[in-house]
Amino acid sequence: MDDKRRIRVLAAKPGLDGHDRGIKVIANALMDAGMEVIYTGLRQSPEQIVEAAIQEDVDVIVLSILSGAHDFLFPRIMELLREKGVNDVLVIGGGIIPDEDIPSLKEIGIAEIFGPGTYTDDIVRYIKDNLKR
Amino acid sequence: MFDGKKIGEIGEGYREWADKLEPKLARRPERKADFINTSGIPIKRVYTPLDVADFDYMRELGLPGEYPFTRGVQPTMYRGRLWTMRQYAGFATAEDTNRRYRFLLEQGQTGLSVAFDLPTQIGYDSDHPLAQGEVGKVGVAIDSLKDMEILFDQIPLDKVSTSMTINAPAAVLLAMYIAVAERQGVSSKQLRGTIQNDVLKEYSARGTYIFPPQPSMRIITDIFSFCSQEVPQWNTISISGYHIREAGSTAVQEVAFTLADGIAYVEAAISAGLDVDEFAPRLSFFFNAHLDFFEEIAKFRAARRLWSKIMQERFKAKDSRSMMMRFHTQTAGCTLTAQQPKNNIVRVAFQALSAVLGGTQSLHTNSMDEAFCLPSEEAVQIALRTQQLIGYESGATETVDPLGGSYYIEELTREILDRAQNYIDKIDELGGAAAAIEKGFIQREIQDSAYRYQREIEKDERVVVGVNRFQVEEESAKDLLRVDPTVRLSQMERLKALRLERDNGRVKAILSELRRAAEGNENLMPLILDAVRAYATLGETCDALRDVFGEYQAVSTIGG
């Protein structure tokens, strides 16, 4: 990565879920760690999220879902990213996601899933260590 | 509460005690330099009559069932009747949820509480593109009266009370409930229950808004007015601090932002021409029972006292029922840990006890597995048993407000009330709750508190058992309750069949009538009821209103 440029992150809430405590806490923590964070707000469709990621030229997408819709929305977002040829963006997810769902989400390209109780410092470190560009 | 001479003696005794303690503390300091609760209130080493020396018993406490209701809204409280044990439940289809309700009623639950899925809560039918992945997930999918008939099949609506967590489309779901009752031969006048109908906290904390504030307030006051005539035993709103707290607020902020929302609803109804005592007795509230046991008990008592004063002094209510804050409580979902989930049973138990000691009217106890999935039947049963243990075994129910008069509780009650009042003054300066939300003030306050709380955990200043202390290696949970992804398809089939068999001309005519009414200012409830009876879907009915009212655009409160 070019060190003159700050890490740019898209923090996104896909679907209809209104639980935004977690994503806002993480957005604050990433900003405190020196990253630039663009928060989409609630109710974003996969199309809107991918569009925003491209427009904003982000290095990282952080997805949060607590409604159980990750099984549909995460794969859809990854599919759209692939279709658009975006393959150098680090995508991580979090929320209420059963452990048994994690392997299949990793298979489709979500780099890591962070569940309840995760420290924000761990997420900051993970992003810094795993950037793709 | 003590005469001057006695207070003098206590003061002298206290000073001697403190002096003797000084050298001991120097040798062996306390666990922490500062003891501060979540609301930022410093907690003293010990509370004595000195803290409540100026306390005016009749003004600040009074007797149970009487102004200012600090000690409870009923004169006998749980000696008369225990609180309503009401577990929030709903998932997948109306059939699945109906089975869960009948299980809960068989287990001794005394009221129903409906969880709707997100498309229903945002006024989309299951076949809407944005409903993909969400149908039946966090609650039951309801698209039309057809689904509602199945949901309450074999449940007599004149016997149970039903709470529905529904906000922006509350008018439509209430209309469906009334229509199901009609088909059961039950009059709307016999119906007992609650719709959440609190859209202001959707903007600030929960997220299932549809329309902008102004038309939302109009729908809400239409409901108040309609119900005061047609559904007189119904709680027309449940003004909710629960989600504000879940979003990260402190206890003081929970009281302040909830009551500020309450003030906004009362003002809206009064400006719509309603008399305060006509609708205020049917206002109800909903609070969170979080971790700090005494802070929570004091919070419930402070909220009751503050609301009664607001209703009497600010709104000049005359009927004492208008000043009486009745509330539901749910234990704090955000305090459940995915780590060592059985510990959650214990957390929930003392949170529930705080709600009972705080005088709640109804209670939901969370299930131990809710930090990672929908609750299993076994987990729900333990949660319900927790309430029954408190109700029937603990003895906490044998006298009214058992902690009333505790120096600590009374001082904390007063402190929470004062700090909440300061926030309400600030919100008034900003132009009231709706304006404060549109300026992002309330959202920012909540998110700052949430961030502070998380940092405290990460800096080890706040212990979360099993998360940052006393961790163990665990295997991940197995056999989780999951919603069948084909629920959406079966709902879509049902919608398709419905659109073939109903009188589509009639549906169209009623919906255009509804659009016309929305443009004017007549009460929308009778038309919504007509639409529902004709099997207009939830999405169609909300779309008619969207056409006129538009949709709310959230303000961003992250970053610069």
Side-chain angles (χ1 to χ4, degrees):
Chain A
M1 200 195 94
D2 176 357
D3 359 279
K4 275 171 281 174
R5 187 170 175 274
R6 293 205 292 165
I7 300 172
R8 287 171 68 80
V9 181
L10 183 73
K13 284 292 297 178
L16 304 180
D17 178 29
H19 294 95
D20 58 2
R21 176 182 182 158
I23 195 84
K24 284 176 163 179
V25 163
I26 289 165
N28 274 319
L30 300 184
M31 287 189 287
D32 280 356
M35 300 181 200
E36 246 179 286
V37 178
I38 300 121
Y39 173 51
T40 62
L42 300 178
R43 288 195 215 168
Q44 300 298 302
S45 67
E47 289 77 9
Q48 286 170 311
I49 290 168
V50 169
E51 188 59 28
I54 294 168
Q55 285 286 320
E56 299 286 349
D57 189 25
V58 297
D59 309 297
V60 186
I61 303 175
V62 180
L63 301 169
S64 160
I65 299 189
L66 287 81
S67 73
H70 59 272
D71 58 357
F72 172 79
L73 292 166
F74 282 2
R76 181 76 190 122
I77 290 165
M78 297 314 291
E79 187 185 306
L80 287 169
L81 284 172
R82 258 198 321 278
E83 275 173 25
K84 301 271 180 190
V86 180
N87 48 26
D88 59 348
V89 172
L90 176 70
V91 183
I92 59 177
I96 304 285
I97 293 168
D99 286 349
E100 56 194 34
D101 292 5
I102 295 174
S104 63
L105 295 174
K106 286 191 173 170
E107 246 166 62
I108 58 165
I110 309 246
E112 192 55 87
I113 296 287
F114 296 95
T118 303
Y119 278 22
T120 56
D121 289 346
D122 291 340
I123 298 173
V124 170
R125 200 169 315 117
Y126 183 87
I127 290 175
K128 287 183 174 164
D129 292 348
N130 291 278
L131 278 178
K132 292 187 178 177
R133 55 178 185 180
Chain B
M1 290 206 277
F2 292 83
D3 66 38
K5 185 163 165 279
K6 288 283 175 206
I7 286 291
E9 282 175 28
I10 296 166
E12 213 170 293
Y14 182 85
R15 276 186 299 278
E16 277 175 30
W17 175 80
D19 289 344
K20 271 192 296 190
L21 196 57
E22 209 59 33
K24 288 183 188 161
L25 283 174
R27 284 199 307 276
R28 199 169 296 168
E30 291 175 325
R31 283 183 290 114
K32 299 185 271 189
D34 300 302
F35 289 76
I36 297 172
N37 67 17
T38 68
S39 298
I41 300 171
I43 301 168
K44 293 187 191 176
R45 183 166 298 126
V46 67
Y47 289 80
T48 69
L50 299 171
D51 295 293
V52 292
D54 60 340
F55 212 73
D56 182 335
Y57 181 89
M58 288 310 286
R59 239 181 63 83
E60 297 188 68
L61 290 179
L63 289 159
E66 286 178 16
Y67 187 85
F69 300 102
T70 310
R71 309 207 61 182
V73 292
Q74 298 295 335
T76 62
M77 286 304 289
Y78 310 129
R79 288 167 65 102
R81 191 178 76 80
L82 296 183
W83 62 92
T84 303
M85 299 180 186
R86 197 191 287 285
Q87 297 296 93
Y88 184 48
F91 59 97
T93 62
E95 285 86 348
D96 296 310
T97 302
N98 174 266
R99 265 193 297 280
R100 177 63 69 92
Y101 290 167
R102 289 198 274 146
F103 168 79
L104 286 165
L105 291 169
E106 277 161 27
Q107 295 297 313
Q109 171 166 288
T110 50
L112 295 175
S113 173
V114 186
F116 295 103
D117 71 359
L118 284 166
T120 306
Q121 293 190 50
I122 302 173
Y124 295 130
D125 289 335
S126 299
D127 58 0
H128 192 284
L130 288 175
Q132 287 183 87
E134 311 272 15
V135 177
K137 285 278 174 67
V138 302
V140 59
I142 300 292
D143 291 325
S144 76
L145 180 56
K146 273 267 182 300
D147 295 323
M148 204 71 161
E149 288 163 0
I150 297 165
L151 187 65
F152 293 103
D153 182 39
Q154 297 176 60
I155 298 172
L157 300 191
D158 54 342
K159 303 279 190 317
V160 293
S161 72
T162 303
S163 167
M164 292 190 272
T165 298
I166 194 72
N167 292 281
V172 186
L173 275 301
L174 173 61
M176 287 185 190
Y177 194 79
I178 294 169
V180 173
E182 282 169 358
R183 280 158 175 69
Q184 288 188 3
V186 175
S187 144
S188 65
K189 302 224 161 45
Q190 294 166 270
L191 295 176
R192 288 176 306 118
T194 308
I195 39 174
Q196 199 160 75
N197 198 24
D198 169 13
V199 85
L200 288 173
K201 66 88 176 60
E202 297 297 329
Y203 305 129
S204 62
R206 191 168 175 276
T208 69
Y209 42 75
I210 303 178
F211 315 112
Q214 215 182 344
S216 294
M217 297 302 263
R218 182 255 179 114
I219 299 171
I220 291 165
T221 52
D222 280 358
I223 293 171
F224 288 179
S225 166
F226 176 85
C227 289
S228 72
Q229 303 304 312
E230 304 299 326
V231 207
Q233 302 190 71
W234 197 265
N235 298 314
T236 52
I237 192 166
S238 173
I239 306 162
S240 305
Y242 180 81
H243 319 89
I244 291 172
R245 191 67 179 281
E246 285 292 292
S249 85
T250 67
V252 163
Q253 290 169 334
E254 180 189 356
V255 172
F257 301 158
T258 309
L259 270 57
D261 288 347
I263 290 168
Y265 296 122
V266 173
E267 281 175 347
I270 291 172
S271 3
L274 302 181
D275 177 70
V276 65
D277 287 318
E278 187 184 323
F279 67 87
R282 297 317 308 168
L283 304 178
S284 66
F285 290 81
F286 175 19
F287 290 109
N288 193 298
H290 210 272
L291 288 170
D292 188 322
F293 190 67
F294 294 102
E295 184 181 25
E296 293 305 287
I297 296 167
K299 175 191 79 181
F300 298 122
R301 301 171 85 251
R304 249 191 325 263
R305 178 149 92 219
L306 184 51
W307 185 247
S308 73
K309 288 184 186 298
I310 290 167
M311 291 309 289
Q312 190 183 63
E313 291 164 18
R314 182 166 181 160
F315 294 114
K316 314 286 179 229
K318 296 201 173 52
D319 186 339
S320 74
R321 292 173 311 152
S322 301
M323 306 168 204
M324 203 185 267
M325 171 187 268
R326 296 169 300 119
F327 62 89
H328 172 68
T329 306
Q330 178 169 342
T331 58
C334 63
T335 66
L336 300 176
T337 61
Q339 297 78 3
Q340 303 175 42
K342 283 184 181 146
N343 295 344
N344 293 327
I345 299 174
V346 185
R347 288 191 179 96
V348 167
F350 63 72
Q351 291 169 355
L353 183 58
S354 76
V356 168
L357 293 171
T360 195
Q361 277 56 64
S362 65
L363 181 59
H364 166 105
T365 33
N366 290 327
S367 298
M368 61 169 153
D369 47 8
E370 286 181 83
F372 46 86
C373 68
L374 284 174
S376 66
E377 217 159 73
E378 189 200 2
V380 173
Q381 193 183 45
I382 294 171
L384 177 59
R385 292 288 179 263
T386 304
Q387 296 199 36
Q388 291 160 338
L389 286 163
I390 295 170
Y392 297 101
E393 294 187 4
S394 76
T397 53
E398 306 300 275
T399 188
V400 178
D401 187 28
L403 291 177
S406 147
Y407 312 123
Y408 179 33
I409 285 287
E410 295 305 352
E411 176 54 17
L412 204 47
T413 302
R414 185 156 55 177
E415 189 71 33
I416 290 173
L417 186 149
D418 289 346
R419 287 175 184 235
Q421 181 64 59
N422 288 342
Y423 260 118
I424 291 173
D425 293 344
K426 167 90 186 151
I427 291 166
D428 282 338
E429 277 167 35
L430 292 171
I437 289 164
E438 285 180 295
K439 295 185 170 92
F441 171 74
I442 291 178
Q443 299 91 309
R444 251 181 230 109
E445 286 286 316
I446 296 171
Q447 84 200 27
D448 288 350
S449 297
Y451 191 45
R452 203 177 314 121
Y453 194 90
Q454 178 65 25
R455 296 305 302 172
E456 285 167 10
I457 294 170
E458 298 192 14
K459 285 187 284 176
D460 244 353
E461 292 165 2
R462 182 178 290 282
V463 176
V464 184
V465 173
V467 174
N468 62 1
R469 197 79 66 84
F470 317 113
Q471 304 93 321
V472 292
E473 282 298 319
E474 295 179 86
E475 279 188 28
S476 52
K478 299 254 157 37
D479 302 323
L480 307 180
L481 173 58
R482 305 185 77 101
V483 174
D484 182 347
T486 63
V487 169
R488 181 162 186 263
L489 299 176
S490 64
Q491 286 299 116
M492 285 167 77
E493 284 300 311
R494 194 178 286 167
L495 275 167
K496 215 164 119 193
L498 178 83
R499 291 191 175 112
L500 287 174
E501 70 192 40
R502 67 181 184 184
D503 180 346
N504 284 307
R506 186 167 155 66
V507 169
K508 213 174 146 201
I510 296 172
L511 292 177
S512 62
E513 187 65 4
L514 179 62
R515 258 182 228 102
R516 186 201 51 75
E519 279 161 14
N521 51 22
E522 74 188 83
N523 196 310
L524 298 176
M525 269 309 287
L527 279 167
I528 292 174
L529 195 48
D530 281 348
V532 160
R533 285 186 188 120
Y535 294 94
T537 68
L538 171 72
E540 291 163 347
T541 311
C542 290
D543 278 347
L545 298 174
R546 278 188 186 96
D547 290 345
V548 180
F549 296 148
E551 291 188 278
Y552 177 69
Q553 300 304 323
V555 289
S556 172
T557 54
I558 291 287

